[in-house]
Amino acid sequence: MTTADIKKNAEAKMAKSIEAFKGELQKIRTGRAHPGILDQVHVDYYGSMVPISQVANVSLLDARTISVQPWEKGMGAKVEKAIRESDLGLNPSSQGDLIRVPMPPLSEERRRDLVKVAKGTAEDAKVAVRNLRRDANEQAKKLLKDKLITEDDERRCLDDMQKLTDKTIVEIDKLLASKEAEILAV
């Protein structure tokens, strides 16, 4: 393994951390409707639990309403039940084949709570990135100890890891700031 391998590996893992953070942010709902909110809801489909998007068409009717249209007639009740029982606090209503999921407006207190949740998620993502930096630094120090790289190479690798970590944390902060603005917007 070389310092280039360490950097490439850490960069790929940090990118995955950012993607995971984006996924977590999507789960935090705002007052506006977004089809991605239902991505984590799973429905019983012939004995196996699958995401709603695999058994129904999920789209927006308007800014505050999600429509879910199951592909099979008998799935409507199961999909509606799965949405109702999810921890999203949504109350779907059936209209024939179509299930309407209105997004209730958020109170100011609930908005502040959601911002706290988003900040906690961001901190978890930052910790993951710092752990990746630590692991990469340990790998570089091991290469130096095994005399596979020079001290200059090790120092350069540590500096590059710090720059990569700083860049990734700035990106996490930007994502958090945009989510906060989205949550607090009326």
Side-chain angles (χ1 to χ4, degrees):
M1 181 178 275
T2 65
T3 57
D5 294 338
I6 293 171
K7 290 178 211 170
K8 227 185 280 181
N9 190 10
E11 206 168 333
K13 287 181 178 179
M14 286 185 187
K16 286 180 184 173
S17 292
I18 287 182
E19 290 306 311
F21 176 59
K22 286 179 183 176
E24 289 298 313
L25 284 182
Q26 282 185 340
K27 293 177 185 175
I28 300 173
R29 74 173 188 85
T30 58
R32 291 195 318 249
H34 184 276
I37 291 171
L38 297 179
D39 285 351
Q40 72 211 31
V41 179
H42 286 68
V43 63
D44 180 26
Y45 185 69
Y46 297 109
S48 60
M49 298 303 281
V50 297
I52 284 185
S53 60
Q54 292 184 10
V55 295
N57 186 26
V58 180
S59 60
L60 291 179
L61 284 177
D62 57 50
R64 293 185 98 52
T65 311
I66 299 172
S67 75
V68 180
Q69 188 151 21
W71 295 323
E72 294 180 25
K73 293 243 186 250
M75 288 302 296
K78 289 181 180 179
V79 169
E80 186 177 354
K81 181 180 179 208
I83 294 170
R84 188 169 280 114
E85 291 177 353
S86 71
D87 61 351
L88 297 173
L90 301 174
N91 191 18
S93 63
S94 290
Q95 295 179 332
D97 292 348
L98 183 70
I99 300 170
R100 296 170 59 93
V101 185
M103 301 299 290
L106 297 174
S107 66
E108 190 60 35
E109 182 182 344
R110 181 68 178 139
R111 288 177 194 272
R112 283 195 295 270
D113 290 345
L114 289 174
V115 168
K116 285 180 188 173
V117 169
K119 285 182 179 179
T121 304
E123 193 53 43
D124 291 345
K126 290 178 185 179
V127 168
V129 167
R130 291 183 194 120
N131 286 341
L132 291 170
R133 175 190 61 194
R134 182 199 62 221
D135 294 345
N137 288 349
E138 287 174 0
Q139 288 174 339
K141 289 176 183 175
K142 186 178 183 316
L143 288 178
L144 176 67
K145 183 181 168 202
D146 295 343
K147 298 191 180 344
L148 297 173
I149 60 172
T150 65
E151 285 184 21
D152 289 342
D153 289 339
E154 182 226 12
R155 197 169 299 114
R156 206 171 301 118
C157 183
L158 297 181
D159 289 344
D160 288 346
M161 289 313 308
Q162 185 60 48
K163 288 176 188 169
L164 180 61
T165 302
D166 292 343
K167 185 182 100 179
T168 307
I169 286 179
V170 164
E171 191 170 342
I172 289 170
D173 287 337
K174 284 180 186 175
L175 290 168
L176 174 63
S178 70
K179 188 64 175 186
E180 273 186 60
E182 184 183 334
I183 291 170
L184 295 174
V186 178

